[in-house]
Amino acid sequence: MPAARIARKEFDVTNDRHALFAAHAYLPQGWRRDVLLEWNEGGVLTAVSPDTAAPAGVARARGPIAPGMPNLHSHAFQRAMAGLAEYRAQAADNFWSWRDLMYRFAARMTPEALQSIARWLYVEMLKAGYTSVCEFHYLHHAPNGRGYANVAELGQRVVEAASQAGIGMTMLPVLYQYSGFNQRDPRPDQRRFLNTPEALLDLLSTLRRAKPAHGALTYGVAPHSLRAVSEASLRALLDGLDADLPRAPVHIHIAEQTGEVDECVAATGARPVAWLLDRFDVDARWCLVHATHVDAKETAALAASGAVAGLCPTTEANLGDGVFPAHDYLGANGQMGIGSDSHIAVDWRSELRLLEYGQRLVRRQRNVLASDARAQVAERLFDAALAGGARASGRAVGALAVGHRADWLVFDQTHPSLDARSPDTWLAGVVFCEHGGSPIVEVHTGGRCVVRDGRHEDEDQAYAGYREAVARLLA
Ligand code: ZN
């Protein structure tokens, strides 16, 4: 065991009394002084008291604290192929050629490898300050397309990985039926993903029996995309879900590629977001992932619906998807959150920075996503991603407020991005400065410290498992 490994009991020292005093804490109303946090055995905040004298015997945070960031979109297994597709495989390399490579990788995945990869990924997320994740889980069956003896085997592995790492999870089993619009037959390399709505709901029930929901775990569903389901099957899925889990989150890939927008128009006469909003009761329980290609009407209608636009800027840039009209959407009070998706980056700071930089490059302006009410662009984006990420998660996360999960980050106040500066510039330093290592030194989930001094409590073991899994997959 390496000497750097930290004994588990050292992670728990601040939690003995379920209380923490922070000289600075980022509450829903902004940075506040002298804040006492208290939480219960279940990891839920029971009191958040600013301007309080530090009580005797209560641990003090070692720096300013802020809510942990929800990650609203993840395909865990793709972590292991991040960086392996950064070469030109053919004259015109694009999303679809990347997808072929990803399918070949998915075909080799085993339950053990998936759990090891997901466990390490979630350790990386926690280190980066993501304290919960929505897992858009579409790898269901054995390589020959038949179900495992336990139909929910692979989903269960991913849920186990989340609890090993200590990250909160919204598990979203994916309905994948077709390879394209008009119910085109699936391809042979999609057979590990395929289900009918009934089979997918059965898989979800099996999974919930094996791993019942609790404070750090909840469930929803994810119709993969409009090209992978039909109108009837989407309706059957939602009806079945409502019978069992009314108001549970529903996530869908919606308009990532111009090619799929064109196919949607050809098949239905409407663009994907317009089609969905027109036919389904899309509201706050929905998360439209990669709403990249929306026209002005769709942008306004999506914002008015209360659904969350699930933005994954580093993946969308890596895959050459396009740029979401974030300025207009936020201007219309649209809800948004961020996800690490393919995990080419696992860092919410990079997602927020690139979201803003994409707008700057397109519009040739600075601080595009600030508003009259919120002049600090980093604070506006941080708040938006916390609120939208929480809504998409269907869990009370993303705020240091009573009734919410006790999930927070501790920043190093002596990091050059914060040191000698005033609190109103701290988040700008955290999001936009790329100097040196991360300013996040501790991460707590459900009131428990899982990352201390930048290291996760199970980092060495999780990495050893990940490394072995990748070596086998690439052998
Ligand atoms: Zn995705």
Side-chain angles (χ1 to χ4, degrees), residues 73-75 78 136 138 224 253 256 289-290 312 315 341-342:
H73 194 61
S74 163
H75 307 289
Q78 293 181 13
F136 199 104
Y138 60 85
H224 178 273
H253 292 138
E256 180 169 12
V289 181
H290 310 305
C312 309
T315 293
D341 191 4
S342 71

Side-chain angles (χ1 to χ4, degrees), residues 141-472:
H141 308 311
N144 63 8
R146 293 209 192 96
Y148 286 101
N150 168 9
V151 291
E153 172 77 34
L154 292 178
Q156 202 170 314
R157 296 287 190 151
V158 173
V159 171
E160 273 165 26
S163 90
Q164 284 177 309
I167 197 167
M169 169 165 278
T170 302
M171 171 42 98
L172 305 160
V174 171
L175 176 61
Y176 206 111
Q177 275 187 294
Y178 307 111
S179 71
F181 288 92
N182 298 321
Q183 303 172 41
R184 200 181 309 147
D185 285 342
R187 299 170 16 162
D189 55 6
Q190 294 169 330
R191 64 191 163 204
R192 300 193 72 176
F193 318 153
L194 303 176
N195 279 294
T196 60
E198 297 71 29
L200 197 273
L201 289 164
D202 182 52
L203 187 155
L204 174 59
S205 300
T206 305
L207 188 51
R208 287 174 58 216
R209 274 197 301 277
K211 298 280 172 191
H214 53 80
L217 173 67
T218 193
Y219 290 96
V221 295
H224 178 273
S225 54
L226 293 182
R227 62 179 192 273
V229 298
S230 66
E231 182 173 356
S233 66
L234 178 51
R235 220 169 277 289
L237 176 69
L238 297 175
D239 288 348
L241 181 71
D242 279 346
D244 230 8
L245 288 173
R247 305 302 306 154
V250 180
H251 290 216
I252 185 169
H253 292 138
I254 192 68
E256 180 169 12
Q257 286 284 317
T258 52
E260 81 182 309
V261 174
D262 295 344
E263 284 185 20
C264 185
V265 171
T268 71
R271 300 167 58 84
V273 170
W275 186 91
L276 186 71
L277 294 181
D278 194 38
R279 278 172 180 72
F280 288 85
D281 188 16
V282 174
D283 60 12
R285 79 190 292 199
W286 286 77
C287 177
L288 275 59
V289 181
H290 310 305
T292 312
H293 299 290
V294 278
D295 64 20
K297 237 174 115 179
E298 289 175 299
T299 303
L302 179 57
S305 74
V308 178
L311 308 178
C312 309
T314 63
T315 293
E316 289 157 6
N318 182 266
L319 296 179
D321 288 346
V323 179
F324 175 72
H327 172 266
D328 297 348
Y329 182 74
L330 290 182
N333 293 317
Q335 295 281 324
M336 57 145 267
I338 50 157
S340 59
D341 191 4
S342 71
H343 314 301
I344 192 67
V346 178
D347 179 4
W348 59 264
R349 301 183 301 135
S350 299
E351 303 300 341
L352 295 185
R353 190 164 57 236
L354 187 55
L355 178 61
E356 165 68 19
Y357 283 175
Q359 304 293 305
R360 292 188 191 190
L361 291 166
V362 167
R363 303 170 77 95
R364 299 193 295 275
Q365 293 172 350
R366 298 191 70 251
N367 296 315
V368 175
L369 298 178
S371 69
D372 291 343
R374 298 304 302 274
Q376 284 284 352
V377 65
E379 290 193 357
R380 188 184 191 209
L381 293 179
F382 188 65
D383 291 354
L386 289 174
R391 180 176 290 196
S393 302
R395 301 177 59 235
V397 295
L400 296 175
V402 172
H404 287 65
R405 292 294 293 175
D407 294 349
W408 67 83
L409 323 175
V410 181
F411 296 123
D412 173 7
Q413 204 177 327
T414 66
H415 189 282
S417 297
L418 290 82
D419 203 11
R421 299 181 179 199
S422 66
D424 65 333
T425 66
W426 282 345
L427 279 172
V430 166
V431 171
F432 288 102
C433 298
E434 296 185 73
H435 307 132
S438 170
I440 298 168
V441 285
E442 278 181 24
V443 179
H444 299 239
T445 56
R448 203 167 72 80
C449 183
V450 293
V451 173
R452 184 179 296 277
D453 294 325
R455 286 183 59 77
H456 185 278
E457 57 183 352
D458 283 327
E459 184 160 338
D460 299 319
Q461 233 182 322
Y463 186 70
Y466 170 80
R467 191 182 182 286
E468 193 187 314
V470 174
R472 274 176 203 263

